[in-house]
Amino acid sequence: MENWSWDVFLDAFPIVLQGLGITIGLTLTCYLFALIFGFVWIFLRRVPFKPLNWIVTWIMEFIRSTPPLVQLFFIYYAWPMVPGIGMTLSPFTSAVLGLGIHFSTYIGEVYRSGIDGVDKGQWEAARALNYPTGKKWTKIILPQAIPPTIPMLGNYLIIMFKEVPLASTIGVVGILHMANSYGSQYWTYLEPLTIVAILFLVLSYPSAILINKLERKMNRRFDKKEALKSSEGAIT
Amino acid sequence: MTEPIVTFKDVHKSFGDVDVLKGIDLEIKPAEKVAVIGPSGSGKTTIIRMLMTLEQPTSGDIFVGDQNLWKMEKNGEFVAANEKHLREVRGDIGMVFQHFNLFPHMTILENCMTAPIHVKKEAKKVARQRSIEMLEKVGLGDKLDNYPSQLSGGQKQRVAMARALVMRPKVMLFDEVTSALDPELVGEVLEVIRDIAKEGEMAMILVTHEMDFALDVADKVLFLDEGVIAEQGSASEVIEHSKNERLQSFLHRFRS
Ligand SMILES: Nc1ncnc2c1ncn2[C@@H]1O[C@H](COP(=O)(O)OP(=O)(O)O)[C@@H](O)[C@H]1O
Ligand SMILES: [Mg+2]
């Protein structure tokens, strides 16, 4: 391979690596935002007011069927020009909002599937015991709805990690951005972009395996809680 | 005359076009034990679900004490009750379900403690102590830290009773609480209900197919048929001496 240079590779590596903190930080911030905002969608869809529910469902559908890149550009470039409410946001904040909101619609769906999975009798028992709405959710419904969705939520973390480089298009200085500027400065893209690919592989692959393990553990827990518990009992 | 704790006045309920209950009038005194019998689909479950506020009547009134359950006064007019009103009145009612509906993510002790703590704002220590006593009373003092999935159906149903009892309702509703159980587990559950009934203070409405049990425990028996109370009276009047033909043919199926 005549164009490949290990010297360039070694030179570029620490520079590209400088962007890793931002890439991971942005992933986690977006993810946290999406996890929280996912609940906001659920809440808005359950407010007992039909027109609002329709509007919210429609907005979610709209967000999901628009490319995240378009949403990023809109928030970063177009939003400041919206009269009255528009404002200029930093690239990082724009990315958190753009990707966070985009993925929150998916996360909201995951929550919904978890909530739908809770037996109707559980709601009725909560009602019969006179639970107030807030406590019913935090003590009865969500503790049953969320654990089965943890593997799915984990998958979304990996998917988001792989979408975060989009933010380099609006100037968030993650690893892709570092690699790009290295490339344009020294006119060699092969090595820095290879480094980017390696970093993504090194981080996503083990995470995927971890989530797979988690998924199997969850399945076991929910199918065979009984067997697990009694074996624990036998040990103690 | 003691005031009734539960009153139904001309209560109707339909699901879509199907009229399930066609005018129920009913009075239950404090501490009275009422058994509700009748063919499947006659509306027995619907009656107690309306009292538990799990189902809204189509028309008519249900009173708990002197409070209208499904309606509240607002500017001198009666309007549909909001959740706040329902919570106020519902606090006097407890229910045991056919399929237990225990909380699977909690131990049985937690199942009992959770509502006193989160609904009645009881101190954790007090709630814990009362829950342990209640679970001992239903014979499960040695299972406190087990999860529902580790228990037999009969044990689950006894936990469900303890969980409802620990809230000290004035009226307890039992919806065919033994019909999801293996036959050999029915006895232990009925035994616990008998014990609770003997203590006396609480009114009980028991939907049941166990006629001997109804004869033994109930002060009053209602025979529900095609959405109306077709026959009512003391347990022996209804179960042993009624002339109602439909009731007799219904009872005949349980005497074999
Ligand atoms: N949520 C519901 N939607 C539609 N029909 C219902 C519903 N609940 C009960 N029913 C109907 O009402 C009738 C009475 O039901 P139920 O009160 O459960 O009777 P029972 O407990 O005496 O067997 C049945 O025909 C049943 O199919
Ligand atoms: Mg029934």
Side-chain angles (χ1 to χ4, degrees):
Chain A
M1 238 197 297
E2 48 190 300
N3 288 330
W4 178 265
S5 150
W6 283 105
D7 287 340
V8 174
F9 181 87
L10 291 176
D11 184 47
F13 196 83
I15 294 173
V16 174
L17 207 59
Q18 280 171 17
L20 192 62
I22 297 273
T23 298
I24 292 177
L26 181 59
T27 307
L28 295 179
T29 315
C30 285
Y31 188 58
L32 195 68
F33 186 93
L35 286 180
I36 294 168
F37 219 73
F39 277 113
V40 175
W41 293 123
I42 290 290
F43 177 76
L44 290 175
R45 281 223 292 209
R46 298 190 72 99
V47 171
F49 183 59
K50 279 269 148 47
L52 179 69
N53 308 149
W54 291 328
I55 292 171
V56 170
T57 306
W58 192 82
I59 292 176
M60 285 176 80
E61 196 50 50
F62 174 76
I63 292 175
R64 250 179 299 172
S65 29
T66 321
L69 187 59
V70 175
Q71 287 163 10
L72 270 187
F73 276 18
F74 187 88
I75 289 175
Y76 188 63
Y77 294 115
W79 184 249
M81 296 173 191
V82 177
I85 47 169
M87 58 175 123
T88 308
L89 299 168
S90 75
F92 191 89
T93 311
S94 305
V96 170
L97 279 181
L99 296 175
I101 291 177
H102 186 84
F103 279 96
S104 70
T105 59
Y106 291 94
I107 301 269
E109 277 306 309
V110 173
Y111 290 155
R112 194 185 54 80
S113 73
I115 292 165
D116 287 352
V118 176
D119 183 61
K120 180 170 138 278
Q122 296 292 307
W123 297 83
E124 297 190 343
R127 198 146 215 244
L129 291 168
N130 213 9
Y131 267 81
T133 308
K135 291 272 190 236
K136 174 180 72 191
W137 281 96
T138 56
K139 302 294 169 190
I140 311 294
I141 305 301
L142 293 179
Q144 297 182 62
I146 299 305
T149 68
I150 286 174
M152 259 193 284
L153 293 175
N155 272 329
Y156 273 109
L157 176 59
I158 294 178
I159 293 172
M160 284 184 78
F161 180 55
K162 289 189 284 192
E163 294 289 328
V164 149
L166 285 177
S168 87
T169 57
I170 56 168
V172 176
V173 225
I175 48 178
L176 182 61
H177 200 85
M178 294 305 276
N180 252 335
S181 36
Y182 187 94
S184 60
Q185 197 178 342
Y186 301 103
W187 213 239
T188 165
Y189 285 94
L190 180 60
E191 296 83 356
L193 285 177
T194 305
I195 294 168
V196 170
I198 290 172
L199 286 177
F200 271 101
L201 180 72
V202 163
L203 286 166
S204 316
Y205 191 64
S207 315
I209 291 176
L210 205 74
I211 284 162
N212 224 310
K213 274 216 172 105
L214 196 67
E215 185 161 8
R216 261 178 283 154
K217 201 171 149 184
M218 280 292 159
N219 286 341
R220 256 208 317 274
R221 195 166 100 91
F222 276 81
D223 296 344
K224 297 186 195 147
K225 203 173 196 172
E226 190 171 344
L228 275 180
K229 280 286 163 191
S230 45
S231 64
E232 275 167 34
I235 295 162
T236 49
Chain B
M1 271 301 284
T2 43
E3 293 301 314
I5 181 74
V6 171
T7 312
F8 279 58
K9 283 191 178 153
D10 196 26
V11 173
H12 290 249
K13 174 68 185 176
S14 16
F15 292 103
D17 318 330
V18 187
D19 296 331
V20 172
L21 294 174
K22 305 163 189 167
I24 299 294
D25 288 284
L26 179 62
E27 275 192 6
I28 295 169
K29 297 271 168 14
E32 197 173 20
K33 321 296 180 223
V34 178
V36 182
I37 61 173
S40 157
S42 58
K44 305 180 295 296
T45 297
T46 305
I47 287 189
I48 60 176
R49 282 174 61 84
M50 288 190 301
L51 187 51
M52 193 65 263
T53 71
L54 298 172
E55 217 68 80
Q56 186 165 10
T58 311
S59 69
D61 292 293
I62 300 175
F63 294 86
V64 177
D66 56 3
Q67 297 227 66
N68 195 320
L69 179 60
W70 283 101
K71 291 175 190 162
M72 58 180 195
E73 222 174 329
K74 200 175 169 187
N75 308 326
E77 272 182 83
F78 277 97
V79 297
N82 58 16
E83 178 61 21
K84 181 167 172 282
H85 175 88
L86 289 175
R87 281 202 71 218
E88 261 172 47
V89 187
R90 190 197 286 140
D92 287 336
I93 319 280
M95 179 160 175
V96 184
F97 297 87
Q98 194 171 346
H99 297 284
F100 332 124
N101 298 349
L102 295 179
F103 303 131
H105 58 299
M106 299 181 189
T107 66
I108 71 166
L109 178 57
E110 287 162 352
N111 261 280
C112 292
M113 282 167 65
T114 175
I117 293 170
H118 298 298
V119 178
K120 289 203 157 173
K121 311 288 172 210
E122 260 178 41
K124 206 166 178 172
K125 234 174 150 177
V126 178
R128 187 185 160 83
Q129 196 48 46
R130 294 205 308 113
S131 300
I132 292 174
E133 280 164 20
M134 201 56 84
L135 284 165
E136 278 167 355
K137 196 156 120 185
V138 300
L140 291 169
D142 56 338
K143 300 262 187 240
L144 302 179
D145 296 324
N146 287 50
Y147 281 86
S149 58
Q150 296 168 278
L151 304 183
S152 74
Q155 291 171 328
K156 282 183 200 168
Q157 199 55 296
R158 286 185 278 148
V159 176
M161 278 190 260
R163 180 178 73 173
L165 284 170
V166 87
M167 293 296 277
R168 301 195 170 116
K170 292 183 183 154
V171 185
M172 261 282 254
L173 312 175
F174 297 80
D175 188 12
E176 291 193 34
V177 295
T178 56
S179 53
L181 301 180
D182 294 335
E184 72 271 19
L185 301 175
V186 169
E188 64 186 62
V189 171
L190 294 183
E191 202 48 51
V192 172
I193 302 178
R194 267 194 195 95
D195 288 347
I196 301 167
K198 270 189 211 122
E199 283 176 19
E201 312 121 41
M202 206 170 51
M204 291 164 58
I205 305 180
L206 307 122
V207 174
T208 184
H209 288 304
E210 306 284 338
M211 295 307 151
D212 293 335
F213 172 73
L215 268 174
D216 184 20
V217 168
D219 304 310
K220 183 157 93 183
V221 174
L222 310 178
F223 173 58
L224 200 66
D225 189 29
E226 302 194 312
V228 295
I229 297 175
E231 192 84 7
Q232 62 177 309
S234 75
S236 101
E237 275 166 11
V238 174
I239 296 177
E240 292 179 325
H241 303 293
S242 170
K243 298 273 182 296
N244 184 316
E245 271 181 33
R246 284 186 59 93
L247 172 53
Q248 281 183 343
S249 79
F250 168 74
L251 289 171
H252 191 72
R253 278 185 278 145
F254 293 91
R255 295 263 164 76
S256 46

